[in-house]
Structure formats: structure tokens, C-alpha cells
Amino acid sequence: MARSTGKDAQALFHSLRSAYAATPTTLKIIDLYVGFAVFTALIQVVYMAIVGSFPFNSFLSGVLSCVGTAVLAVCLRIQVNKDNKEFKDLPPERAFADFVLCNLVLHLVIMNFLG
Amino acid sequence: MAAAAKAGEATLRHAFGNVLSFFILLLIGVLAFSIRLFSVIKYESVIHEFDPYFNYRVTQFLTKNGIYDFWNWFDDRTWYPLGRVIGGTVYPGLTLTAGTIWWLLNSLNIPLSVETVCVFTAPIFSAFASWATYLLTKEVKGAGAGLTAAALLAMVPSYISRSVAGSYDNEAVAIFALIITFYLYIKTLNTGSLFYATLNAIAYFYMVCSWGGYTFIINLIPMHVLLCIVTGRYSSRLYIAYAPLVVLGTLLAALVPVVGFNAVMTSEHFASFLVFIILHVVALVYYIKGILSPKMFKVAVTLVVSVGLVVCCAVIAILVALVASSPTKGWSGRSLSLLDPTYASKYIPIIASVSEHQPPTWPSYFMDINVLAFLVPAGIIACFLPLSDASSFVVLYIVTSVYFSGVMVRLMLVFAPAACIMSGIALSQAFDVFTRSIKFQLLRILGFSEADAGDGSSANVVPENDAVKVDKSEETIKERPSRKNKKKEKEQMEKAQAEKTSAKSKTEKRLLVLPMELSVIGLLLLVFMGAFYVVHCVWAAAEAYSAPSIVLTSYTHEGLHVFDDFREAYAWLRHNTEVDDKVASWWDYGYQTTAMANRTVIVDNNTWNNTHIATVGTAMSSPEKAAWEIFNSLDVKYVLVVFGGLVGYPSDDINKFLWMVRIGGGVFPHIKEPDYLRDGQYRIDSQATPTMLNCLMYKLSYYRFVETDGKGFDRVRRTEIGKKYFKLTHFEEVFTTHHWMVRIYKLKPSKNRIRGKMKKSKSRTSTPSSKRSGSRKKNPWQ
């Protein structure tokens, strides 16, 4: 049983990797960006757990900045993904402009909130 | 050629429709604005009621001192001796809005007073709210329904009651913010555009600024997202609509000082975070499902489920621990009383004592939304016929708001827009079916081919529903007949449900065409019903909801009487007392006293400190001496009571007195409610308990009352008062208004020690004697 699940998992990883290798480079870059943002958020959470959350608004704005960036990047990825039929008539330039605007608002708010 | 001509005709019709709806919207805005001006015409351009006076005062401060002083404003003229940090405890949306309008007008060299701007803020924003309703309903069911809903909202009595000119309260702008937030959410959901998501977050920010009711939004939207996920309607548009809103919205909400860290610390907001996490899991699952073959996906599911369950349990355990560790489980009293309607009456008398926090009665539904109450079910059914993401949201909105309006009268206000949207959908679809079947019948009579008629009608529909997806239009046409049936039947005596469904399927077979006579009658009935609604709304706006409640009028056979006692009393205070004198009254009059009389008050309508209010309640329900001591320790110079016994003004202090006893007794147990009740009945006549007849409130209200008519007949309680002749030893009457509605007493200064002793012994002998004389004189009259 354990062996079969192990085998399954291996097969799964293989197919996942091969499927992912087919994604375009631009999307991969966005994925990297998302991963980096999430990783930064995790670091901050760990730091908060060790050191304490004293300037709570700083912690909050730090983590939410990372989470927000990641979420917005995911949205961008959804919109520019060619496989996604829902956004066929949305040009990638428009999607990117929206993304920049949203990020601008997000980081203006964060600068305000940073304390 | 023919096709080109037809297309040209369609665009022409389209353009014509757009211009027409623009003018209709303009008229709706004018209607929404002008129907709220009755109060200005019938009375004058004044701020109404209680809370608006506070908002007005804050706006004055804002316009005078600027925004930075406003944030740091510590108000020492209220809640004496504690004071109140206004900048950090007030929802600033309304004041900032009015302040901005005032500043804008002034910089354009239009010198309006702050008061004028404040008075007209609510009508202006109700026009905006009806336009927002148009947009929202258009996203859900097309432009026709949007226009109908906007017209309905422009004059729905429930909303009028909170937004007549002069009613300068948070709800005035909050309803607009609420609707526009919902609209932008739906718009984002329909288009999947990040731009609208940003706007949505900003609209949500405005809502958070404006009203505590924003928690409704931040719980309703996650509920809808969850509903979509559970019913398998997840789409990447849903992710774009929700995920940025949570992150941006939380940050923006935390910017508002009154919310602050509550945006992440209280459990009103936890639902949104939980759904945020769930949404990400679901999004990941859908993504992996997309890139894997079905077989591999099954393998992945079995693997992930086993691991994921463990993780989920851990997360839930952490969340539960977090919630349980926060006080009151992280819920504020008002929200708890929403979930458990009996909570407030059990634990927090101060919340229960406010009449707008009581559950509504059935007549108030009819009064406040009138015929909409009957149209709502039809609208819900119409929403289900092609269930889209948008229409499921509206259904969820109405279901939750019906519940909330049933808990608190005040939340009828949240329910009203939902009811308008639903009724707008119902009405417009009904009209659609009736007019279409009339058209079909006419064409058939005139001998045209049916195909032509079909083309004409569908061309009619499509330009109207530009927002609705084309693939849906076929379905909508099909569902209309049933919709129609329902409508008609409702008007015609509400037939049994079974009949409805059978009739529905029949008409579906007949291609939605109803007999000519039936549709004409149905159309007439609908118009008649709409006319009835309009008449009711105008009546409600003119008669029921326009009274400013600081100026009262009454009609008698002698003509119109105006009772302007409140302003008379506040003006007296303003002109005849020292600037730093403290005035004690029940908290209802706190805001007005600070705003109109500019005197320091002990408690006001903010009610943030229950103990302080209980102290005043205790003083009012204590005998004179004890009350004097309490007031003296609070540095009070004047005591103000509102008394309606002479002119029959029912919401006076004697009628509110039991709440003072309850709230006072909640903190100071020596005040016991049964002491004031005779056999469980609240009475002030000769059967009243001695505690009641000797408490300060009774004495201040009825002092010298018997001199007015010789009998002391109280017109509110419709009885003669119990104790007619008595003297005040520690208070002296300094001012009583023309109709005795406000009476102001001054605390007598404490006497010198030796004289005080003599006085005391004297007063001791004199008080019983006056009592005796009172009772002696009472008997012959009875």
C-alpha cells in the first residue's frame, strides 16, 4: 500500500512537472514573483512569532503588502493566461495596466498604514 | 441591404434607448432629491433629531479647524469629566463628505453655510443611491429592471425616513456606499477586471468610513463566494473579485481610526479571511485540475485529501483558539444581538432601550416598503430562472437582509434597497411579458407573420440587456412567461402554488403569449399598484417622516400649533448660563445640548460608557437628596428634563423613565425596578409606589404641574398625577418653556454648615407637612 502510494506520488510529480514545463516563460516569471512574495510574507510571520508583533501596523502592512502583491500577481496571471478562455478579449497590456494601478493603490495604502 | 437597414435601426434604437434612460435617470435623481424636501418646505431648513446634531457639530469643527485637528480632536464638552476622543471614535465618512462639499462650494465662491450643506447632503446622496441601484440591477437583470429599481428606491419610505433633508446621519451616505460597493463587486464578478476590483476596494473603504454596517458587506460577500464555490460556480473571475478585495479592503479598513486593528482582530471579519483561504485552496485545485489529466488528478486528490484534512484541522483549531481567547468571543454587543435577538434585552439594556434597536412589527414592513413586500417573492423567483453569479448574490442579499431587518428596525434600511432591486426585477419582467404578448396578439390580429414579430421583439430586448450575456437571452425569454404568471396571479387573488406551476408550463408551451385581455388587465393592475406605491411614498415623505422632532406641530380645530420648546430651552441655556456650566439630562438630549446650547453634558447619545449613563439614571431615579449628591459630585449646575404631560408629547422622560431605572439598576443594585411598579404596572397616578412619587424624575417633571389646570391631568398618561403639591428642597426651577416641554432646574448650592443643619431640620418638617397637605387636598377631589 505504502509502496503504491509512493509510486503514485512519483508519477504525480512527474506529470505535474511535465505539465508545468509547458507553461510559457512569462507565466513562469509571474509564478516566481508570487512564490517570492509568499516566501517574504512567511519570513515576516516567522519573525513576528520569534520577536513579537509590537509595531502591529508595521507587521500587518508588511505581511499584507506581500500577500497583496501575490494575490494581484495571481490575478494578472489568470488574466494573461492564454489557456484561460474567459479573458480572451482582454489584451495583456490592459491587464498589466490594471495590475499596476491596483499595486499603486495597495502600496499607497500600505505607506499610509506603515506608521 | 435589409440586414444593414435592420442593423442601422438597431443602433439607432440603441442610441435612443441610451438617451432615454439617461433622462429617466436624471428625473429619478430629481425625484429622489425633491421628495425629501418636504421637511424643509413644511418646517424649515434645520438639522433633525439627535445624532445629526452631533454630526453637524463635528462638521462645523472640521470646516473651522481642518482635517488634522479633526483627527486629534479631544472633546471635553461631553461625557464630563471623562471627555471623548471624537477623532478616533467617530465614523468620519459623513462629516468628511459634507466638509468636502462645503469646501468645494466655497472655493467656487458659492458661500453656503455649513448647516445648509449638512441639511442637503442626505437628499443629494439618495439621488446617488438610486443611480447606484440602477447600475447594480442593470448588472443583474438588464437596464429595464435597473430603471424600475432605481425609481422604486428613489422613493422607498424606509430610506426616506433616514434621508429627508436635515436628517444628517451616517445612513444618509452609507446606503449609497453599500449599493455602490455591491455594484462594483458584481461588476468585477461579471467582467473579471482588476480595475473594478480596485474601485470596489475603494468603495468598500468609503463604506467603512461611513457606517458600522460595513460588517454586513464583509460578511455577505464571503458568504456569496462560499455559495458560489459550494454550488460549483467557481471561476477565475470570482477570484479576481474577491481576493484583492479582502487584502485591500482589510488594509483600507484598518486606516479608519474607529476600526483600526479591529479589521483583523474581531470575529466579524474572520469569515472573510477564512473564505479567503478556502478560495485559494479551491483556486489551486482548479488550476491543478486544469493542467493534469483526469486520471492523475484523481491520484492527486486522494493524496492531498489525506494531507489536507490534517492541515485544515490544525488551521481551524488555531482559529477557534484565537476566537475563544478574545473577549466576548470577539463579537461586539450589537453584532451579537443580531445573531441572537434576545441577547441585548438580556444583557445590555442600553442597546435594548433604543427604539430603533427593537424588532419591527408587521405594520412597519407595510409602512416602510409597502407593495414591495409583495413583489419581492416574485423578484426572487425571477432571479432563479437563469441563476447567474450576480442574481445569486442579490438573492443572498435579500435573504440575509430580511433576517436582519427582522431583528432590528434600523436595519430595515439595509433591506429596503434589496427589496427595491427585487421588485424592480419583478415589475420590469412582468411588464416585459405583458407588453410582448400584447404585441404578438396585435401583430397576429393585423395579420403579420409571427417570425417578423419575433424578430422585432428580440431586437427590442437585446439593446436593453447589453450587460446580460447573449447566451442567456434565450433563457430569459423563456423564463419570463412564468415570471409573468406569478406576477399576474399575485395581483389576482394569489392562486395556489400548484396551479401556478401548471399554468407556467402551459404558457411555456404557448411561447409566452398571454391572451390579449389578460395582459391588458395585468398591465393595468401593475400600473395601478405602482400608482398606489407612489401615493403611499409621497404621503409617507410628507406626513410621517418629515418631522424634524425638534420642532413639533399639531393640528387642532383651532388651527396649527407649533411647539418650538426644545430650541427655546437650548437658547435659554446658551444665553443665561456660564460657558463652563455642566448640564445633566438623560442621554437622548446630550448631542442637542452640546450642539445647540454649547454647554458641557454628562452623557450623550454616543453611550460608550454604560457606568456613566447608569450614574445619571440612578440620580434620576433616586430621591431628591441622593440625586443632588450625585449631581453635585459630577459638578452639575443644571438639570434638564423633557416633559410632555401638558401638551401630550409621548416621548418624554417619564415614558423613558423605566429604562433609566433599568440601566441604573444594572450598575447600582440599590435601584430596583419593582420599587417603581405597582403590581407590575408602570403608573404615576395616585396608585403609584412611594418610590416612584419621590424620585427626582417625577418631582422635576411634575413640579408645579397642578397649577396649570388645577387638577394635574397628564395628557400622555391620561391620568391625574399621584402627588400634586410638593416643594423642591435641593433644586430650583429656573426655566420652563412655553408648553412645558423642557424644564430646567438649577442645583441649589450647599448651605453653610450651621444654617444647613437648621434648614435640614426645617425641610424635614416641611416635607411631610406638604405631603400631608397634598393628601388632604387630594381626598375632597376624588
Side-chain angles (χ1 to χ4, degrees):
Chain A
M1 187 67 202
R3 198 179 291 162
S4 75
T5 50
K7 232 182 226 169
D8 279 353
Q10 235 168 6
L12 182 66
F13 274 119
H14 269 295
S15 57
L16 261 182
R17 191 183 284 173
S18 56
Y20 187 73
T23 50
T25 330
T26 44
L27 291 190
K28 278 185 182 166
I29 293 173
I30 294 177
D31 284 340
L32 201 64
Y33 181 62
V34 172
F36 175 70
V38 172
F39 178 67
T40 323
L42 281 180
I43 290 181
Q44 292 185 55
V45 171
V46 170
Y47 179 81
M48 187 274 282
I50 296 170
V51 180
S53 67
F54 161 57
F56 191 59
N57 41 358
S58 304
F59 162 71
L60 213 58
S61 43
V63 170
L64 283 182
S65 146
C66 295
V67 175
T69 318
V71 163
L72 293 183
V74 170
C75 291
L76 178 69
R77 189 192 190 286
I78 291 173
Q79 288 182 340
V80 298
N81 194 349
K82 293 278 182 303
D83 299 338
N84 210 334
K85 298 288 179 292
E86 277 175 277
F87 298 101
K88 243 193 283 180
D89 43 356
L90 186 85
E93 291 80 12
R94 167 73 201 266
F96 189 72
D98 284 350
F99 170 74
V100 169
L101 173 84
C102 210
N103 255 311
L104 218 62
V105 173
L106 174 73
H107 284 96
L108 268 177
V109 175
I110 281 167
M111 274 193 284
N112 235 326
F113 190 60
L114 210 52
Chain B
M1 270 281 292
K6 207 170 257 180
E9 199 184 320
T11 50
L12 194 71
R13 213 181 257 174
H14 198 129
F16 182 67
N18 278 345
V19 171
L20 201 62
S21 17
F22 175 77
F23 278 108
I24 292 174
L25 277 179
L26 208 65
L27 285 178
I28 287 174
V30 172
L31 169 71
F33 182 80
S34 48
I35 201 173
R36 288 165 169 83
L37 297 185
F38 276 112
S39 59
V40 174
I41 294 163
K42 290 184 71 178
Y43 297 89
E44 57 186 296
S45 172
V46 282
I47 309 276
H48 290 194
E49 294 193 317
F50 306 108
D51 287 24
Y53 268 97
F54 170 74
N55 297 324
Y56 170 51
R57 186 163 158 257
V58 176
T59 316
Q60 272 182 319
F61 184 91
L62 173 72
T63 49
K64 212 182 285 170
N65 297 301
I67 181 90
Y68 288 104
D69 278 350
F70 167 67
W71 291 125
N72 295 324
W73 185 18
F74 176 80
D75 185 10
D76 58 357
R77 300 193 72 78
T78 180
W79 291 97
Y80 182 84
L82 307 166
R84 176 183 170 197
V85 191
I86 301 257
T89 56
V90 78
Y91 284 100
L94 177 74
T95 29
L96 289 181
T97 310
T100 316
I101 295 175
W102 179 83
W103 175 82
L104 210 69
L105 288 174
N106 262 272
S107 51
L108 291 173
N109 287 323
I110 305 174
L112 285 180
S113 71
V114 178
E115 190 182 5
T116 316
V117 173
C118 293
V119 165
F120 291 102
T121 302
I124 292 172
F125 270 80
S126 56
F128 292 167
S130 49
W131 292 334
T133 310
Y134 164 74
L135 292 172
L136 173 57
T137 320
K138 191 181 159 194
E139 281 304 308
V140 179
K141 278 283 174 179
L147 287 175
T148 322
L152 291 176
L153 185 97
M155 47 190 176
V156 64
S158 168
Y159 185 31
I160 287 182
S161 73
R162 292 320 194 92
S163 63
V164 291
S167 171
Y168 180 54
D169 212 345
N170 287 338
E171 290 92 336
V173 296
I175 292 303
F176 160 69
L178 181 88
I179 300 172
I180 198 82
T181 312
F182 286 156
Y183 158 66
L184 286 166
Y185 171 70
I186 297 290
K187 183 87 186 168
T188 327
L189 198 57
N190 281 344
T191 59
S193 151
L194 257 186
F195 174 68
Y196 283 113
T198 320
L199 287 189
N200 189 14
I202 291 169
Y204 172 67
F205 174 59
Y206 186 59
M207 178 69 195
V208 179
C209 278
S210 306
W211 198 30
Y214 75 92
T215 43
F216 179 61
I217 295 185
I218 205 60
N219 284 301
L220 181 64
I221 291 182
M223 270 168 77
H224 177 246
V225 173
L226 208 58
L227 185 79
C228 284
I229 292 175
V230 169
T231 53
R233 295 178 144 271
Y234 170 81
S235 65
S236 39
R237 285 173 288 113
L238 189 68
Y239 181 89
I240 293 172
Y242 185 66
L245 174 69
V246 170
V247 178
L248 262 175
T250 305
L251 270 168
L252 283 164
L255 277 184
V256 182
V258 63
V259 179
F261 293 147
N262 283 346
V264 284
M265 305 285 270
T266 54
S267 27
E268 278 99 339
H269 306 82
F270 283 171
S272 62
F273 301 133
L274 194 65
V275 173
F276 183 71
I277 295 167
I278 293 173
L279 182 69
H280 275 91
V281 174
V282 172
L284 193 70
V285 169
Y286 270 82
Y287 172 70
I288 292 175
K289 197 177 177 181
I291 63 170
L292 281 184
S293 61
K295 199 177 163 196
M296 284 321 288
F297 182 66
K298 236 178 221 166
V299 178
V301 167
T302 46
L303 263 178
V304 170
V305 161
S306 45
V307 181
L309 267 183
V310 180
V311 177
C312 271
C313 288
V315 170
I316 288 170
I318 290 171
L319 272 182
V320 168
L322 272 179
V323 172
S325 66
S326 63
T328 71
K329 307 276 176 275
W331 292 79
S332 67
R334 247 167 234 180
S335 313
L336 269 179
S337 69
L338 281 181
L339 297 178
D340 172 12
T342 57
Y343 177 84
S345 51
K346 264 188 278 179
Y347 302 109
I348 322 171
I350 196 110
I351 290 183
S353 78
V354 181
S355 61
E356 59 187 26
H357 291 165
Q358 307 286 347
T361 52
W362 285 113
S364 73
Y365 274 97
F366 187 73
M367 176 70 195
D368 276 358
I369 57 172
N370 201 247
V371 297
L372 304 190
F374 309 111
L375 288 173
V376 163
I380 293 177
I381 295 163
C383 278
F384 266 109
L385 287 167
L387 187 68
S388 64
D389 291 346
S391 64
S392 69
F393 178 76
V394 186
V395 171
L396 197 65
Y397 175 26
I398 193 146
V399 169
T400 46
S401 62
V402 164
Y403 169 73
F404 286 135
S405 74
V407 177
M408 261 192 212
V409 175
R410 195 154 102 120
L411 296 174
M412 196 74 106
L413 198 59
V414 175
F415 171 55
C420 288
I421 292 166
M422 283 303 179
S423 318
I425 293 170
L427 271 181
S428 91
Q429 304 242 316
F431 272 115
D432 231 28
V433 174
F434 282 136
T435 48
R436 188 188 301 113
S437 46
I438 288 179
K439 198 170 173 183
F440 265 99
Q441 302 283 0
L442 276 180
L443 289 173
R444 198 174 289 165
I445 291 167
L446 296 175
F448 280 95
S449 75
E450 266 191 43
D452 254 8
D455 268 356
S457 76
S458 65
N460 235 355
V461 177
V462 171
E464 270 181 358
N465 300 358
D466 38 289
V468 180
K469 285 120 225 156
V470 185
D471 57 328
K472 244 171 226 159
S473 64
E474 270 189 25
E475 287 169 35
T476 36
I477 289 169
K478 239 174 224 163
E479 89 225 13
R480 254 157 218 176
S482 54
R483 164 93 292 297
K484 165 66 338 355
N485 262 349
K486 228 136 276 167
K487 191 72 276 91
K488 196 196 320 149
E489 266 158 350
K490 200 141 279 157
E491 269 103 60
Q492 305 169 346
M493 297 301 100
E494 296 166 30
K495 288 176 199 164
Q497 189 93 21
E499 282 179 10
K500 239 184 244 173
T501 47
S502 69
K504 193 200 298 178
S505 55
K506 255 184 229 163
T507 40
E508 247 165 11
K509 272 177 215 154
R510 261 186 282 148
L511 264 174
L512 11 147
V513 182
L514 299 163
M516 182 82 167
E517 301 77 26
L518 213 63
S519 28
V520 171
I521 292 173
L523 218 52
L524 283 177
L525 283 172
L526 278 186
V527 170
F528 180 72
M529 192 177 66
F532 176 64
Y533 174 72
V534 172
V535 169
H536 173 81
C537 291
V538 173
W539 172 81
E543 301 295 333
Y545 290 136
S546 279
S549 95
I550 54 160
V551 187
L552 305 156
T553 55
S554 78
Y555 289 97
T556 61
H557 49 270
E558 296 155 34
L560 176 73
H561 286 269
V562 176
F563 304 103
D564 203 0
D565 288 36
F566 287 105
R567 288 194 291 182
E568 187 187 350
Y570 294 130
W572 186 89
L573 273 178
R574 191 176 198 118
H575 293 295
N576 295 285
T577 58
E578 297 292 321
V579 178
D580 287 329
D581 282 347
K582 282 85 190 167
V583 180
S585 64
W586 189 234
W587 58 264
D588 294 25
Y589 312 104
Y591 279 164
Q592 292 184 346
T593 312
T594 37
M596 284 199 266
N598 193 23
R599 293 295 173 266
T600 309
V601 295
I602 305 298
V603 291
D604 69 21
N605 311 41
N606 183 240
T607 65
W608 64 273
N609 188 326
N610 192 30
T611 316
H612 221 49
I613 292 178
T615 311
V616 173
T618 309
M620 291 296 190
S621 26
S622 305
E624 222 187 314
K625 178 84 166 71
W628 184 86
E629 275 160 10
I630 294 173
F631 279 143
N632 199 42
S633 71
L634 285 170
D635 210 6
V636 169
K637 272 273 179 56
Y638 296 92
V639 180
L640 179 151
V641 294
V642 172
F643 170 63
L646 184 68
V647 291
Y649 171 60
S651 52
D652 64 349
D653 276 348
I654 292 287
N655 273 2
K656 291 172 185 168
F657 181 61
L658 271 192
W659 286 110
M660 305 187 201
V661 173
R662 267 172 220 160
I663 293 168
V667 178
F668 303 101
H670 68 275
I671 304 285
K672 294 183 197 70
E673 192 179 336
D675 290 350
Y676 298 84
L677 302 174
R678 174 73 72 192
D679 304 327
Q681 266 189 316
Y682 178 61
R683 52 202 309 173
I684 44 98
D685 54 8
S686 48
Q687 303 290 307
T689 59
T691 329
M692 180 68 213
L693 293 182
N694 284 310
C695 72
L696 184 71
M697 181 49 74
Y698 181 89
K699 286 193 163 180
L700 296 190
S701 290
Y702 292 116
Y703 178 61
R704 295 200 306 120
F705 181 52
V706 71
E707 292 169 21
T708 54
D709 61 352
K711 285 192 288 187
F713 184 78
D714 185 322
R715 294 197 188 178
V716 177
R717 268 65 59 175
R718 298 184 178 284
T719 170
E720 276 183 33
I721 58 172
K723 196 160 90 169
K724 296 172 179 173
Y725 300 96
F726 54 85
K727 280 182 182 159
L728 295 172
T729 42
H730 297 92
F731 295 84
E732 67 176 318
E733 184 186 5
V734 288
F735 187 69
T736 295
T737 55
H738 187 221
H739 302 98
W740 286 50
M741 279 169 61
V742 185
R743 314 193 66 184
I744 300 170
Y745 292 84
K746 189 177 185 178
L747 269 73
K748 281 184 185 167
S750 50
K751 296 292 182 307
N752 285 338
R753 181 168 277 187
I754 299 166
R755 283 198 55 193
K757 265 185 187 163
M758 290 162 63
K759 261 262 149 82
K760 222 178 241 173
S761 57
K762 240 187 224 169
S763 71
R764 222 172 257 157
T765 53
S766 74
T767 324
S769 76
S770 77
K771 252 187 214 161
R772 229 174 292 138
S773 71
S775 58
R776 228 179 267 154
K777 276 180 188 164
K778 210 189 303 163
N779 290 334
W781 285 335
Q782 282 176 338

